[in-house]
Structures are given as C-alpha cells and as structure tokens.
Amino acid sequence: MPSLHELVRAHTDLVDDDVAWLQLLMADWQILADLSFADLVLWLPDREGKGYWAGGQMRPTTGPTALVDDVLGTFIPAGRRRMLDEAFLTGRLVREGDPEWRDAVPVRVEVIPVRRAGRVIATIARNTNLLGIRTPSRLELSYLQTAAELTQMIAGGYFPLPGQRGDHADSPRVGDGFVRLDPAGKVVYASPNGLSAYRRLGLQGDLAGLVLADLTRDLVPARKRPDEETLSAVLGGRDGRATEVGTDEVTLIVRSIPLRPQGDRSGALLLIRDVSELRRRDRELVTKDVTIREIHHRVKNNLQTVAALLRLQARRTHAEDAKAALEEAVRRVGSIAIVHETLSHAVEETVDFDEIADRLGSMVVDVSGVEVPVRVVREGSFGKLSSEAATPLAMVLTEVLQNAVEHGYADLAEDAEPRTGRVVVTARRIVGRLHVVVEDDGRGLPEDFDVDGSTQLGLSIVRTLVESELGGVFEIGPGVRGTRVQADVPLD
C-alpha cells in the first residue's frame, strides 16, 4: 500500500508543513475512532481538482468496523461523493441524513474538514456501522460527546495539539481508562477502567466531583510524582502532554488532551493506563543488564589474573619451548579478556568488534619479539557482533596476527634493505556473512607448506574455531607478496 508521503508527492500540492500536520493528526486519530465507534478515512485533494485520494484509514477498537476492505490509495472523482466536495469547499462539518448501505450494513457517514493555518487541507470521512445500535450507556454518551468536541477542534484547526504524540507503544488508549474533566479540573465522568486505575493507587469511593490534581497529591508520595507545575498542568487538563504518577507498587501514565471546540477550553479528556507490570519488567531488565555487565567485568579480572600467573610461570621457566608456550597462552587468554572487558561496558550483549580488532593488533605488535617494526592496519568494518561470535573470532584474529608478525618478519632485520612490515586486516559484511582477510608483506609461506598436514597448535586452533565454533570456511595461502589468510563466517 502507498504511504502518505508517496500519495502526497504523486497526487497533491500539499506542502511539507501540511503533511507534518496530517501526520500529527494521524498519530492521534485512533482516539477519535474509538470515541466515535467509527472508521476514519483521510481524503487528500487531487492537485488538479479531479477528486480525492485516500491517504489513511483507521478502524475503531470499541465497535464493529464499517469498512471491511482497505481503501488506502483509492481515488474518488469529484462529484461522486457530495459530502466530500461540500466539506472541502465550505470548511464545515457535513452529516448525511439517511445512512448508506454497504454489503447489507447501514453506515452513517460524516465528513470533517481538516483545517490548518486557516485553510482546509484535507477531509476525514467518519463511517459508523449502525447494526446493533441500542440506547447508549453513560460511558458511550461521554465518548460521543468528547468525540464531537474533538471533531469541532479538527474543523477549527485546534487539533492535533503540538508536542507529544500519541502513537508511542506505552501511550494510553481510550479503553485503558477515560476521565472527563470540567474547566476547573474536576472529574465529570470516569470510565470503570479509569476509576479502577485510581483505586489501585488507594482511592476509596468514586472519582466524580473530585479535583484530580488534588486527589493525586494525596494518593501519590512526592518522590513518585512529577514536579508541581507538570502535575497541575496535566492532571488539571490545561496542557496536552503525558506524565507518570504512582506508588512503589503502581505506576500510571496519564495523558491530557485539553478540549477547545470553540477555541476556549471547555474541559479536558484524560487517558489513563496502568503500566505497573511494564515498569516492573523494565526494572528487572536494568537489574539483569547490570548483573551481566558485572559478570563480564569479573570474568575479565579473573582472566587477567590467569594471564599474570602464566606470565610469572614463564619467567621462572628456563626451557625455551615451555616459555614460548606459556607466552602464547598469555596472549590467548588476553584476547578473550579484551572481549569481556568490552562487554562489561556494553549496554547490549553485542560488541563493536572494530575496537577489539584494533586493540588485538596493537597487543600482538607490542609483545612480538621481531626486530622489524610492524604496523597492523584495519580496512573495512566488522560491525556489531554477538558475544558468542566475538570470543572465538578474537582468538582467531590473535593467532593469525601473531603468526603473520612472528613468522612473516622473523630475521628480516638482517636484510640489506631495512623496511617496515605491514599487516592489513580487511573486514567486509556481504549478504549475511562476515569476510575477513589478513595479508602481510613478509617472507611468505615455506615452499613445502601443507595446511592439512600442519601440526602447529595455533593453526589447529584457528581452523577448529572457524569451521566448528563459527560454522565458517578457513583458507591460507600465498598473498601478493607475503601470506594471505581468509575466513568467511555466517552472521546471526
């Protein structure tokens, strides 16, 4: 289906400010649909005056739909729907006397002009399914009265209200809790859900006749309510925004919509939602995140302790083979520690692996015993990786870089032409896979080198991690000048 922007660009001459106004209106028109028990369709005027394009559609959650099929993107020629023409040309609300019959369903149609900056930029057709109409309850009468005032505000250019939008995930809806205030902030009517929300705060009795801001001050401790200005403005119905109030056990979101059908404030509509369970889960998630980061921090500290013990043992060992093996173990433990250190500062269980790769390159160069100066350069980006992939990939990169530096540039200092070694790490994300290439300009592989017959521990670790742990493919061979190692692994 086409979007509002696509329809505006293709068929209308509405300017950006007009579109922004319509988007703000559509962010809140679920409220109007629910209060009206009706389907809403936004009709945009064709730039050539040939008719109207359906730029948006909203169904009610409080009653049966009058439009079974989607109409978004459809076109109605001028003259076919007299009410659309009349509302757009006169700028007045147009009601049809007799209902229309659609698929054996009687539908009452009303058309609301959408006014901005003194001119009508669109219209809203309100379609009410009349099947099953009965004597309305007090709740339904309050809904319909409030819908009528919102309708007048749209036609007069007073709605939508600038500021906070109503299409956020935790924004209260009509069915969550409905409270109607008079101009003084006194409760005229509260729906059963709205009354229940305040009874969870500790209210005894009814809401009707009480000043909501004063009641909230009595029920909610000062540390759990907003500042006094916000409390008075929102719960008094003077300011169109939302705020949170509550106790240690209960949290409510209260959203205020001042009603100005004729320009002067006649009262306010308050929507109330109990988000106690959502906030409890948020607190649990925060606690879990802190705990996870603390675990990564402690694992990093423990790994650094292990590395220090191995380093101490290497100093006390006189056998060169044993000392070299211990030093390699220190580097491997250090590469894992770097991953956990990064995760201890991360908000999510993913890490920016570019930072880890750069630190590993510096660590390998700093501890290498070669006399030729070597630079490790990264090209491209690894991007964000999960902790499950980051740890084995860090070990793979450490082993490959260590081999490139130590085996590629060993004894090159004796060459007649002094130079600086260069190891390039290239990372690319291609169609759901991570492609990593490490290429040096060192002495290259021995002529009799056989990757399948190699017994080197480091190479065995790399192949096992890439192929078994990461589910990827590992290759090693001659590069343009030195050695080229590449790994291709799938991304989650």
Side-chain angles (χ1 to χ4, degrees), residues 13 31 39 69 87 124 153 162 222 228 244 337 363 372 401 408 458 483 487:
D13 55 4
I31 296 174
D39 294 73
D69 295 328
I124 294 177
M153 291 173 64
E228 188 59 34
E244 284 194 16
M363 179 187 73
V372 173
L401 289 174
T483 303

Side-chain angles (χ1 to χ4, degrees), residues 301-430:
N301 289 343
N302 290 338
L303 289 172
Q304 289 179 336
T305 301
V306 172
L309 292 174
L310 292 173
R311 197 177 295 111
L312 181 63
Q313 185 65 45
R315 294 196 192 102
R316 295 171 176 265
T317 301
H318 299 291
E320 293 300 323
D321 290 345
K323 181 178 293 187
L326 289 171
E327 289 175 349
E328 286 184 2
V330 168
R331 286 191 290 271
R332 290 165 184 150
V333 171
S335 65
I336 301 174
I338 289 176
V339 175
H340 284 282
E341 181 181 5
T342 305
L343 285 168
S344 69
H345 300 293
V347 177
E348 301 176 351
E349 275 292 284
T350 59
V351 293
D352 182 358
F353 200 81
D354 291 345
E355 176 186 352
I356 293 176
D358 294 341
R359 291 181 61 183
L360 291 176
S362 300
M363 179 187 73
V364 168
V365 171
D366 291 341
V367 301
S368 69
V370 298
E371 298 181 14
V372 173
V374 180
R375 290 180 59 235
V376 177
V377 180
R378 175 175 55 84
E379 295 181 355
S381 174
F382 289 86
K384 295 278 189 179
L385 295 179
S386 66
S387 58
E388 291 84 357
T391 300
L393 187 59
M395 291 192 65
V396 168
L397 195 56
T398 301
E399 295 294 333
V400 173
L401 289 174
Q402 187 67 35
N403 286 338
V405 173
E406 290 194 348
H407 298 294
Y409 301 98
D411 302 326
L412 287 185
E414 301 175 358
D415 293 354
E417 180 183 351
R419 63 186 180 90
T420 298
R422 189 170 186 267
V423 181
V424 179
V425 180
T426 305
R428 295 283 188 273
R429 285 176 173 248
I430 305 173

Side-chain angles (χ1 to χ4, degrees), residues 283-300:
R283 290 191 294 270
E284 287 183 354
L285 288 175
V286 169
T287 302
K288 288 179 180 178
D289 288 342
V290 172
T291 303
I292 290 171
R293 288 199 293 272
E294 178 62 22
I295 290 173
H296 285 302
H297 179 72
R298 295 189 181 187
V299 170
K300 182 263 298 184

Side-chain angles (χ1 to χ4, degrees), residues 381 426-436 488-491:
S381 174
T426 305
R428 295 283 188 273
R429 285 176 173 248
I430 305 173
V431 195
R433 300 185 71 86
L434 177 64
H435 189 64
V436 183
D488 185 75
V489 299
L491 294 170

Side-chain angles (χ1 to χ4, degrees), residues 445 448-455 459-460 463 474-477:
L445 295 170
D448 58 348
F449 176 78
D450 180 11
V451 63
D452 295 323
S454 176
T455 59
L459 187 58
S460 298
R463 292 191 66 180
F474 172 77
E475 296 179 5
I476 182 171

Side-chain angles (χ1 to χ4, degrees), residues 181-207:
L181 302 182
D182 67 9
K186 189 179 295 185
V187 177
V188 177
Y189 175 79
S191 70
N193 285 344
L195 179 60
S196 296
Y198 260 81
R199 283 181 174 168
R200 284 190 284 273
L201 286 180
L203 171 68
Q204 301 293 326
D206 201 355
L207 272 174

Side-chain angles (χ1 to χ4, degrees), residues 139-167:
L139 171 67
E140 293 167 333
L141 287 173
S142 298
Y143 277 12
L144 293 171
Q145 179 187 352
T146 306
E149 295 184 57
L150 283 176
T151 296
Q152 295 178 56
M153 291 173 64
I154 293 172
Y158 306 118
F159 190 83
L161 303 176
Q164 190 172 30
R165 295 164 59 107
D167 55 352

